[in-house]
Amino acid sequence: MIAASYIAVKRGLISEDTLNEIEDILQMYGFETRAELPNNDAIFEFMQKDKKKLLGKLKFVLPTEIGDVIQTTDVTREEIYAAFEYIERV
């Protein structure tokens, strides 16, 4: 959810304040929002096995505001890797 929200910020769909609010809410309920991740390429390759792929493309659900989302299949590898890096920040 944090990775998708980060991508949404970078695409101008939500503000950084909204991302921070989403993260604060998740933390309030005890969810970890940061993690040390394995190799980005390994994660990306694992994601390729997702059964919800649409016409061979990964499907992402990106927030447009709290409570509203869009679905898209045009998220790039670069956007995904940037989201991984965001999650690894402490």
Side-chain angles (χ1 to χ4, degrees), residues 2 5-6 8-10 13-25 65-66 86:
I2 296 300
S5 297
Y6 177 80
V9 167
K10 293 303 177 184
L13 298 173
I14 62 171
S15 68
E16 285 189 35
D17 287 342
T18 301
L19 169 60
N20 292 333
E21 186 176 351
I22 291 167
E23 193 162 1
D24 289 345
I25 291 167
E65 61 182 79
I66 292 180
Y86 180 78

Side-chain angles (χ1 to χ4, degrees), residues 51-75:
K51 67 181 178 189
K52 296 180 296 287
K53 286 175 78 170
L54 185 63
L55 301 174
K57 295 184 178 188
L58 292 170
K59 185 168 37 170
F60 282 80
V61 177
L62 304 177
T64 55
E65 61 182 79
I66 292 180
D68 284 317
V69 298
I70 60 166
Q71 292 184 30
T72 186
T73 58
D74 68 347
V75 175

